[in-house]
């Protein structure tokens, strides 16, 4: 049996090794168009920042190791460009010219291609990518030449990580993004917190600012944005996303899905019975929406590669789908998500609720407790978790991973209340933010309290007959309040509640929602109509 | 309606507040025998170490706040000592003498009582506990008097945390434990790692060393262990565990369970239709074993209190059960567990497998990646997760919480393979240790590989016809190997495998199990019989 794999980074390398483990006798050939296999894609920005100091650390497995340990024939600088699916043959550009490779089973792990729009100046020198080792070699060389200013175009994972690392390396960096927000996979209020944090760390940001032109005679000298602003710079880094590299698959007539990726079944088999595919070029089922999506992430690529390798080699494994769980570090902040964000849930047509959960990384009486804001999006009828987003300084990864596991398992917010999570003061609180989120959401679904979200406040006030009631202390009000709110501190409410008007609706808030909840319940019991601002003033301002 | 709550720390305080939230009209009386309610029990050791610097930080909610915000009548220094369940009346020792309190619904949150064995010298001065605020006041005062040596008796949570904090405070501390290991809720190999780490941090340890006598004329001057060793010291801290305070419940004829705690149903109702109970004095269903257990932990106490308060006040909530998820910091190390440990699984009679999973907190090419060892215990037939333990320096809490969520959800190791967890180099690896654990365990259950655990190695070798094969490099062997192992580095195995004897069984190991797995698969394909040491040399030595 002859297994040929096209593409040797995450999915391809995983596929090759797993195929070998499942089948010692197969001939396994790994074709990689670049000069490197199995490198640490996700580490590239950190090599620019000198956070990863040794270039060798970026190379996870060498061709020699593939050969010696796994008897895998790795051929770098080999680019497959055509598949004859009838004859089961590949045509490949190699250093020795075009060659032909026969296969019994083929695995396409062709990954993605960084988007480089055909704008004027795109081919100037120092217009760079951060996608391969040679790419970052170029960036590092450019910095070493003394270039001190950079424009990074694109506010997604690679753009942000690159901008942070350039800044850490002492390069004055301006980040420009075509969309109105950074990190388009997050809801806008989270992206806003991130933008503010980047600003505070010396990054200049331009949103709603697509790249129109790159100017320079030989090297880049400035970029011109669609809004007309011209930004002088000595290098421009394109991080505008990656499109799936499906060219080979399309030419071979393989089915391409609605999300633009190669269609595969749960064994990673394409529409051709002898061709598997895995990694950033394929689409997968989203475990919440049930829809096909293409979310290029390393974790999925590795798992898919493993499944494709096993199945191509005659074993059985399956890949269930994705939740799009992802995380980004931006200076001191961490932001992460899993499942669907609120914007995505809206598209599903499901009746849903979003709840903000301010919390802390660990017990507040223990040093180092850091604030966080989490947002749970849940199905209104059942309480089933649809997605979560979180931002903060510590412990964000933990909460998102717990919720990712809960969503995978089909848990509801009523289950979150019951989770038995590890508590000691350095690690968590007796009511972990995840459990607290379960309690808050469950209280709402049980009808104990009605929540209004930050985005609904102004509309609600405009409709009239609703008054804002701030139940924080007078000292807290000095730090800011929502325009127009009246104030009765919660601990005076039992004496002073008659000051309120039973004909009005009161939209109550405190700092994080805890005192507001108590105030709501008390006033409700006295015959007042109340609503509560989810997550309180903290979620309203997102001032984490 | 008149709700009386006996005990005002975690469960009692939660119950009181939730009862108020569910019922504004109820009269709620909280009786607490000590001088403090709602204090940070779990923070007490850290106040000794000056990690928590302000004593006020230990007090979470004051009696005044209970009154003003919640209209809860908190009475400190009130000890209920008798219940007339017919008349629904409590007798209470108060500063004004014995009083009687009527109740419609009663909630017992009587917690635990620290064990103080009746050995000679137990009543000497400076024989202290770490259970209440006055307790730690005494410890801090004793340190302030210039006492510089302490014996801590008991190697559980409180004993370890106190010993660490005394050490941090500059007190020479000796920890003595009656059992052969520290942290009896962990399997012994994990406890061994912890003991070694404590030693390295200057703590003297005595295991198998129960307290026989405390000597001194007025103040403690030394302790004498059951093994005859005498240890001079200026203070002795008893942290020998806590027994459930069920006296009041027993006197009232409430049903006490097999685990020694008050029996309750899922609404926290005892055998009396008007008496609820919550917290350390009750027993709960273990969600893995289905058995009743008493695992006194703050997280459960808070959740149970909330349920008891709601139900006593006429609302409906339920408490499902516990997983015994817990975590401890010991200097730089973190150790945690969830579900059942291997020793506990043995008692269930289930057919099970344990798998060691060495891993790292995050991508090894990113700075600060710290090693960890995880052990998954799973049902052999189904792959259902029964429990997990982990030890390491970073990210232990995250992995245990993810697995706790998985166990709660009834997931198998095949599900762990598919989890979509958040990956970026600062937080995890493309194959997170949890996912890796799923892959390793699934490979085993699918029959790809046979694992032998560290505890089985010597017996297997003694039975003959099994040879140890170390597939690490020659350089690695210089750092130690298992006695008697022959060596063929994995990358030479394809050339040299004929040196091996097909009539023998080979027990293969490498550093962490990865290369051993590849070696096993290769040799199996060539007709050799192999077994693999789970977790490799790292798990064998537990040298994390």
């Amino acid at each position: 049996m002859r297994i040929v794999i096209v593409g040797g980074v995450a999915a391809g390398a995983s596929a090759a090794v797993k195929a070998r483990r499942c089948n010692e006798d197969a001939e396994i050939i790994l074709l990689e168009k670049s000069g490197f296999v199995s490198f640490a894609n996700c580490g590239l920005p950190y090599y620019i920042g000198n956070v990863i100091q040794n270039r060798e650390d970026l190379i996870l497995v060498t061709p020699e190791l593939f050969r010696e340990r796994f008897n895998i024939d790795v051929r770098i600088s080999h680019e497959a460009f055509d598949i004859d699916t009838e004859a089961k043959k590949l045509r490949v550009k190699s250093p020795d010219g075009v060659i032909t490779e026969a296969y019994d089973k083929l695995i396409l792990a062709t990954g993605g291609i960084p988007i480089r729009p055909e704008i004027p100046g795109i081919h100037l020198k120092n217009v760079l990518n951060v996608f391969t080792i040679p790419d970052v070699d170029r960036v590092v060389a450019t910095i070493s030449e003394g270039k001190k200013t950079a424009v990074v175009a694109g506010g997604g994972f690679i753009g942000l990580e690159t901008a942070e690392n350039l800044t850490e390396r002492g390069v004055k960096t301006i980040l420009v993004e075509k969309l109105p927000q950074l990190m388009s996979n997050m809801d806008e209020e989270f992206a806003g917190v991130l933008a503010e944090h980047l600003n505070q760390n010396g990054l200049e940001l331009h949103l709603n600012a697509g790249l129109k032109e790159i100017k320079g005679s030989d090297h880049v000298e400035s970029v011109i944005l669609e809004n007309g602003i011209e930004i002088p710079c000595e290098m421009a880094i394109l991080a505008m996303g990656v499109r799936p590299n499906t060219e080979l698959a399309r030419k071979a007539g393989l089915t391409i899905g609605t999300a633009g990726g190669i269609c595969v079944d749960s064994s990673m088999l394409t529409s051709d019975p002898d061709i598997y595919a895995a990694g950033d070029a394929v689409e997968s089922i989203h475990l919440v929406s049930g829809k096909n999506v293409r979310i290029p992430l390393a974790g999925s690529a590795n798992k898919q590669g493993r499944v494709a390798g096993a199945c191509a080699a005659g074993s059985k494994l399956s890949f269930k789908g994705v939740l799009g769980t992802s995380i980004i570090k931006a200076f001191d902040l961490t932001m992460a998500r899993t499942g669907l964000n609120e914007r995505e849930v809206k598209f599903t047509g499901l009746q849903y609720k979003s709840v903000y959960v301010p919390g802390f990384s660990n017990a507040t009486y223990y040093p180092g407790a850091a604030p966080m804001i989490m947002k749970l999006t849940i199905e209104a009828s059942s309480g089933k978790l649809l997605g979560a987003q979180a931002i903060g300084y510590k412990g964000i990864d933990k909460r998102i991973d717990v919720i990712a596991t809960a969503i995978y398992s089909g848990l509801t917010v009523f289950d979150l209340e019951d989770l038995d999570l590890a508590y000691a003061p350095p690690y968590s609180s007796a009511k972990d933010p995840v459990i607290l989120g379960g309690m808050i959401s469950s209280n709402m679904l049980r009808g104990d309290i009605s929540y209004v979200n930050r985005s609904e406040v102004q509309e609600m006030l405009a409709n009239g007959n609703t008054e804002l009631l701030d139940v924080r202390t007078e000292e807290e009000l000095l730090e800011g309040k929502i325009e127009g709110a009246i104030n009765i501190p919660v601990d005076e409410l039992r004496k002073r509640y008659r000051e309120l008007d039973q004909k009005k609706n009161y939209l109550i808030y405190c700092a994080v929602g805890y005192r507001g909840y108590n105030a709501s319940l008390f006033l409700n019991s006295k015959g007042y109509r109340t609503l509560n601002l989810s997550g309180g003033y903290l979620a309203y301002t997102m001032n984490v």
Side-chain angles (χ1 to χ4, degrees), chain A residues 348-508:
Chain A
T348 65
L350 286 172
Q351 290 296 309
Y352 75 93
K353 288 276 182 185
S354 282
V355 172
Y356 291 89
V357 187
F360 280 86
S361 57
N362 57 282
T364 49
Y365 59 76
Y366 189 88
M372 63 173 70
I373 300 180
M374 198 161 67
K375 180 181 179 181
L376 302 179
T377 302
I378 60 187
E379 192 178 39
S381 56
S382 64
K384 196 177 154 190
L385 283 160
L386 303 174
Q389 297 163 82
I391 194 160
Y393 302 89
K394 271 171 68 182
I396 297 300
D397 55 335
K398 174 164 78 170
R399 275 65 186 210
I400 286 296
D401 276 0
V402 166
I403 296 175
T405 307
I407 295 178
Y408 174 92
S409 305
L411 298 193
T412 67
V413 292
F414 304 109
D415 292 307
L416 292 193
E417 286 187 309
D418 281 322
L419 289 182
D420 191 356
L421 303 177
Y423 163 56
Y427 306 99
S428 179
S429 304
K431 286 174 188 158
D432 186 88
V434 171
I435 294 172
L436 192 64
M439 291 179 173
I440 290 171
S441 307
S442 300
N443 288 339
M444 176 184 72
L445 294 182
R446 289 190 186 105
D448 298 346
I449 186 165
S450 296
Y451 282 116
V452 168
N453 279 345
R454 60 195 299 284
S455 60
E456 301 163 312
V457 172
Q458 292 311 324
E459 189 189 334
M460 182 156 288
L461 294 179
N463 286 345
N465 203 33
T466 297
E467 189 152 20
L468 272 170
L469 172 60
D470 187 322
V471 298
R472 295 176 300 161
T473 62
E474 283 174 32
E475 294 78 50
E476 289 173 279
L477 257 75
L478 297 176
E479 291 162 21
K481 63 167 197 166
I482 305 180
E483 182 68 27
I486 59 169
N487 172 238
I488 302 180
V490 65
D491 294 339
E492 296 178 18
L493 204 57
R494 288 176 183 279
K495 288 178 217 147
R496 293 178 53 188
Y497 70 92
R498 290 184 190 83
E499 297 172 21
L500 301 173
D501 180 352
Q502 288 209 333
K503 297 194 198 85
K504 284 186 177 167
N505 300 310
Y506 285 96
L507 174 46
I508 299 177

Side-chain angles (χ1 to χ4, degrees), chain A residues 41 51 61 75 81 113 115 146 186 232-233 289 362 368 381 383 415 433 466 502 514 536:
Chain A
N41 229 319
V51 175
V61 187
R75 303 189 196 159
F81 66 94
I113 298 172
I115 294 167
M186 299 289 293
C233 61
S289 70
N362 57 282
S381 56
D415 292 307
T466 297
Q502 288 209 333
Y514 173 77

Side-chain angles (χ1 to χ4, degrees), chain A residues 211-347:
Chain A
L211 214 54
K212 189 175 162 196
E213 189 179 341
I214 303 174
K215 291 181 80 168
S217 53
D218 178 36
H219 294 73
V220 53
E221 286 162 21
S222 70
V223 303
I224 297 177
L225 306 180
E226 280 169 355
N227 57 21
I229 292 174
E230 178 164 2
I231 305 171
C233 61
E234 296 167 293
M235 65 182 123
I237 299 200
L238 304 178
M240 305 161 90
V242 166
R243 60 182 174 79
N245 185 2
T246 54
E247 199 185 333
L248 197 56
R250 282 176 198 270
K251 275 172 64 182
L254 303 185
T255 305
I256 304 296
T258 47
I262 305 170
C263 281
V264 292
D265 66 11
S266 65
S267 68
M268 306 310 294
L269 187 66
T270 68
S271 55
D272 183 295
D274 297 306
I275 306 179
Y276 294 81
D280 291 356
V282 309
E283 48 186 69
S284 306
I285 293 172
H286 194 289
L287 295 173
V288 175
S289 70
K291 296 240 160 64
N292 268 28
V293 292
R294 203 183 58 77
I295 302 176
L297 289 167
S300 301
N302 275 281
K303 282 181 270 182
Q304 291 169 346
R306 177 172 179 257
V307 171
C311 294
S315 288
K316 275 192 180 152
L317 277 182
S318 66
F319 180 76
K320 285 213 185 88
V322 300
L323 289 174
T325 312
S326 62
I327 189 162
I328 186 161
K329 173 186 174 305
F331 297 98
D332 300 326
L333 261 188
T334 300
M335 188 166 79
R337 65 164 277 175
T338 185
L340 301 178
N341 64 28
E342 186 171 350
R343 202 170 54 241
E344 291 163 343
V345 170
K346 273 185 185 150
F347 277 113

Side-chain angles (χ1 to χ4, degrees), chain A residues 57-76:
Chain A
D57 288 346
L58 296 174
I59 296 162
L60 305 175
V61 187
T62 59
E64 293 67 39
L65 190 77
F66 273 110
R67 195 168 306 121
E68 287 179 1
R69 185 173 302 170
F70 297 106
N71 187 27
I72 292 168
D73 182 0
V74 172
R75 303 189 196 159
I76 56 170

